[in-house]
Amino acid sequence: MAWFDEAVFYHIYPLGLAGAPKQNPYGTPEHRLNSLLPWIAHIREIGCNALYIGPLFESVGHGYETTDYRRLDGRLGTNEDLKRFVDACHAQGVRVIFDGVFNHVGRDFFAFQDLRDNRGNSRYRDWFCNVNFGGNNEYNDGFSYDNWGGYNLLVKLNQRNPEVIAYICDVVRFWVSEFDADGIRLDAADVLDMDFMRTLRRLAEEVKPEFWLMGEVIHGEYSRWVNEGTLHSVTNYHLHKALYSGHNDHNYFEIAHTVKRLCDMGSGRPGGLKLYNFCDNHDVERIYTKLNNKAHYAPVHILLYTLPGVPSVYYGSEFGIEGKKERFSDASLRPALRLDDFLDAVTDNPCTRLIAALGKVRRKEQALSYGDYKELVLTNRQYAFTRSFEGRTVLVTVNNDDQDAQLSLPAGDAAMFIGALTGARAAVSGGRIQVRVGANSGEIWLPATEDAIPESDEAASKSGERKPKMTVSVEKKSKMTATVTKAEERKPQMTVSVEKKPQMTVSKPGEETSVSKSYEEMTVEELQLAVLEEMAKNGPVTDEMRRTVEENIWHDSLVNWVKSFR
């Protein structure tokens, strides 16, 4: 078992979320990454414990035409900003995965600049694929070369060149030593050289325990990339497509067939394929936009969190925002957002409330991370299955119909099941339970144990009363469309404040006196106490949490940490 086996990911496209300009002016760094610090507490609040963030490093425009792999994009800030950001994530129990764009570079990359200047005499000629001085391109370089996707803006690296391999390996080592990265998502992994990926897997085992490699793969037999020699995981585009179209077409057969196919792909691997599951990301339309019936947001996400694989939420989709892919721009998929606009979302926004509840269940139930999958009921509009691990079985039911549905399910040895999302109860009779699944909704049924009873249900449990059955649903709400205006119409880019109240009182246990000063004026010891005070407001402070705080002796990091609490 590794940390990524139990991960719930949050995905941020930082240039978009931070409101960076579309083109890099290569000027004085702007510290926009600091505006994302408050999002770390939000990530934890909705039950995520891992962050995939990228692209991060110096580039020309959208981030995937890298100029410098060792420097944070100046539109986001400096390397010191990135160090502090990763430290703040780790301090709050969030692992951090960087985007590794190693298939291609931008035209401003130093080796390509040397090739343009020195042509056939360039020592970097063989760093790139199929350089042909008898050809030309739209930039009038006087030579041609292989690219990615037909875009000469993206110059393909020669991943069989030992110098290129050594260079990229040194970059990865730098990311770990300098920023303490926990893994890499490999961009365009489906076109990376397989031997190159094997080298990266060996490197992953060298640089850090449980360093995770996940690749962007669209189609194909995923086991080709996910195995002991190459990657730990890949993007699960098969399930992504099935989740929205299976609901739009009222066709749970498509989803179940996809799950079976994926299970068959991983049948020769212990635990199967731990694929990176998602409903949307920075390259595809928002799930709330793709669904014909917005109420299907609930069953879609229940499946995302309960089917085999590692779930991920793309920033903003937990609020139910929309974003439509445009012909020549992905800008509407990558908007700047103000966290202040969503402060009460966990209680007031049905989408966010559902995601937070699912995150809590996913983190608590190991069967959802490690359990075997077994299909129980399958029709066009209803679907039920189990996830079983170490003798514990969790039942999952979803319904894409506009009417409630009644299902009869085998219950094993349990005496009762409790709905993790609604608190509904289902007693076992004759080895089966009869459950009602709400219209366009679903439920995760847990075997009844003392710790499985939701807090809101404890009083009724002790008094012998039964709460009325409820459903979990996402009401139709007013459209919240993420739009990007023309540059001259946009508001200033620093959209999320990292400031809190400037004053706070810190008292050591048993002391009558207190210290009242701004965070910046506090000593390291006072800041550590302040962080512990904030932690205590969210629940018991464990010994491990206390040790994490005590081991952080960096003043600026502690200032950012205490300010990140809401």
Side-chain angles (χ1 to χ4, degrees):
M1 296 180 181
W3 69 263
F4 42 78
D5 292 322
E6 298 183 26
V8 178
F9 270 91
Y10 196 77
H11 173 196
I12 287 177
Y13 177 81
L15 292 169
L17 179 56
K22 296 298 180 287
Q23 293 297 312
N24 192 342
Y26 295 127
T28 303
E30 298 287 342
H31 304 280
R32 293 184 177 90
L33 187 67
N34 293 338
S35 72
L36 306 189
L37 284 167
W39 286 81
I40 303 170
H42 167 72
I43 290 168
R44 289 290 298 177
E45 186 179 22
I46 62 172
C48 297
N49 60 357
L51 170 65
Y52 153 40
I53 183 169
L56 286 164
F57 296 96
E58 195 82 277
S59 65
V60 179
H62 51 56
Y64 290 97
E65 65 287 69
T66 310
T67 300
D68 189 337
Y69 286 102
R70 294 172 180 260
R71 185 170 61 194
L72 181 68
D73 195 299
R75 292 169 290 176
L76 295 173
T78 64
N79 282 8
E80 288 301 315
D81 294 329
L82 183 54
K83 289 180 190 178
R84 284 192 294 269
F85 182 83
V86 176
D87 284 347
C89 287
H90 286 166
Q92 296 192 53
V94 177
R95 306 273 186 162
V96 184
I97 308 302
F98 289 177
D99 222 337
V101 188
F102 300 147
N103 179 68
H104 46 264
V105 295
R107 289 171 52 82
D108 289 346
F109 184 64
F110 78 93
F112 188 77
Q113 288 288 301
D114 188 274
L115 177 64
R116 291 181 65 196
D117 292 342
N118 297 305
R119 297 174 59 79
N121 295 321
S122 172
R123 69 175 301 271
Y124 299 106
R125 173 178 176 172
D126 292 333
W127 276 43
F128 307 101
C129 294
N130 292 325
V131 175
N132 177 12
F133 291 104
N136 205 349
N137 56 32
E138 68 270 31
Y139 298 101
N140 199 30
D141 289 325
F143 60 89
S144 61
Y145 49 84
D146 283 357
N147 60 40
W148 181 86
Y151 299 101
N152 278 319
L153 179 68
L154 307 176
V155 189
K156 186 169 177 62
L157 285 170
N158 179 5
Q159 296 142 29
R160 288 193 166 273
N161 183 319
E163 287 190 1
V164 172
I165 295 170
Y167 176 83
I168 295 299
C169 287
D170 283 344
V171 165
V172 175
R173 293 187 184 98
F174 177 79
W175 288 356
V176 175
S177 63
E178 190 76 2
F179 306 114
D180 201 15
D182 297 298
I184 296 174
R185 175 264 194 188
L186 294 171
D187 183 65
D190 47 3
V191 294
L192 289 176
D193 180 78
M194 296 302 289
D195 286 337
F196 174 67
M197 279 190 282
R198 293 184 186 98
T199 299
L200 291 180
R201 179 59 176 267
R202 292 191 293 271
L203 178 66
E205 294 165 357
E206 165 200 321
V207 294
K208 193 175 189 179
E210 299 181 354
F211 190 80
W212 193 55
L213 293 180
M214 184 267 287
E216 180 195 24
V217 174
I218 311 299
H219 305 294
E221 193 76 13
Y222 290 151
S223 56
R224 178 187 175 206
W225 293 274
V226 182
N227 54 65
E228 296 307 316
T230 48
L231 308 181
H232 297 95
S233 183
V234 294
T235 50
N236 193 353
Y237 271 89
H238 291 307
L239 184 62
H240 158 255
K241 190 269 179 185
L243 283 175
Y244 69 80
S245 63
H247 283 84
N248 285 345
D249 298 337
H250 290 286
N251 183 13
Y252 275 147
F253 285 97
E254 178 183 2
I255 297 176
H257 174 76
T258 299
V259 173
K260 183 179 184 304
R261 180 186 175 197
L262 295 170
C263 288
D264 289 344
M265 283 186 194
S267 60
R269 180 180 170 87
L273 301 179
K274 293 293 180 69
L275 301 175
Y276 181 86
N277 295 343
F278 60 96
C279 290
D280 46 20
N281 60 30
H282 63 302
D283 289 325
V284 300
E285 290 184 344
R286 295 276 178 174
I287 186 63
Y288 206 75
T289 296
K290 294 185 79 71
L291 292 174
N292 296 335
N293 182 350
K294 306 306 181 188
H296 284 161
Y297 182 98
V300 162
H301 283 85
I302 291 171
L303 291 175
L304 175 69
Y305 274 76
T306 58
L307 286 170
V310 179
S312 173
V313 174
Y314 182 47
Y315 83 93
S317 286
E318 74 273 27
F319 306 128
I321 69 170
E322 298 203 29
K324 190 172 182 62
K325 194 173 180 69
E326 300 164 5
R327 185 177 179 186
F328 298 112
S329 173
D330 288 328
S332 65
L333 309 178
R334 308 168 179 181
L337 299 180
R338 288 175 47 88
L339 187 58
D340 288 347
D341 293 337
F342 305 97
L343 289 180
D344 299 319
V346 170
T347 55
D348 297 348
N349 183 317
C351 295
T352 319
R353 189 164 61 242
L354 173 66
I355 295 301
L358 289 169
K360 182 178 180 181
V361 177
R362 174 78 188 206
R363 295 286 305 280
K364 183 177 181 181
E365 285 295 329
Q366 283 196 318
L368 297 179
S369 296
Y370 301 104
D372 294 335
Y373 163 87
K374 181 181 179 181
E375 183 183 299
L376 297 181
V377 172
L378 180 61
T379 70
N380 281 331
R381 296 171 185 251
Q382 287 83 42
Y383 180 25
F385 56 89
T386 59
R387 301 293 306 280
S388 301
F389 179 69
E390 293 186 345
R392 183 172 175 83
T393 296
V394 173
L395 283 69
V396 180
T397 55
V398 286
N399 178 18
N400 66 49
D401 195 74
D402 291 333
Q403 304 297 321
D404 292 357
Q406 293 290 139
L407 297 181
S408 175
L409 305 173
D413 298 329
M416 179 180 289
F417 282 81
I418 296 176
L421 302 177
T422 67
R425 297 183 175 205
V428 177
S429 176
R432 303 186 73 83
I433 57 172
Q434 311 298 320
V435 298
R436 179 173 65 87
V437 190
N440 301 312
S441 186
E443 182 56 283
I444 305 170
W445 300 94
L446 310 179
T449 59
E450 187 67 26
D451 63 352
I453 302 176
E455 293 177 7
S456 60
D457 211 34
E458 286 180 356
S461 171
K462 291 176 181 177
S463 65
E465 298 174 1
R466 287 188 65 181
K467 294 181 70 177
K469 290 184 178 179
M470 300 176 289
T471 60
V472 56
S473 60
V474 176
E475 300 87 356
K476 188 173 182 179
K477 55 190 181 63
S478 58
K479 278 191 176 181
M480 191 183 301
T481 304
T483 58
V484 178
T485 58
K486 294 179 181 178
E488 61 270 19
E489 296 172 348
R490 292 188 66 172
K491 295 180 180 180
Q493 303 295 340
M494 295 291 286
T495 58
V496 182
S497 172
V498 299
E499 294 298 321
K500 287 188 66 174
K501 295 178 181 179
Q503 301 290 331
M504 130 168 236
T505 300
V506 179
S507 300
K508 293 184 180 180
E511 291 186 352
E512 296 181 359
T513 57
S514 63
V515 180
S516 181
K517 56 179 73 171
S518 70
Y519 294 134
E520 286 75 12
E521 296 171 327
M522 289 182 180
T523 66
V524 167
E525 183 182 13
E526 289 167 348
L527 285 166
Q528 289 171 335
L529 289 170
V531 171
L532 290 170
E533 271 195 6
E534 293 295 327
M535 284 182 167
K537 295 176 184 178
N538 296 326
V541 178
T542 65
D543 290 342
E544 183 179 354
M545 294 164 66
R546 190 177 297 277
R547 281 195 300 272
T548 301
V549 175
E550 291 173 350
E551 289 171 359
N552 188 335
I553 58 174
W554 293 277
H555 186 274
D556 290 347
S557 174
L558 288 164
V559 170
N560 286 326
W561 190 354
V562 74
K563 285 182 178 181
S564 70
F565 289 96
R566 290 196 289 107

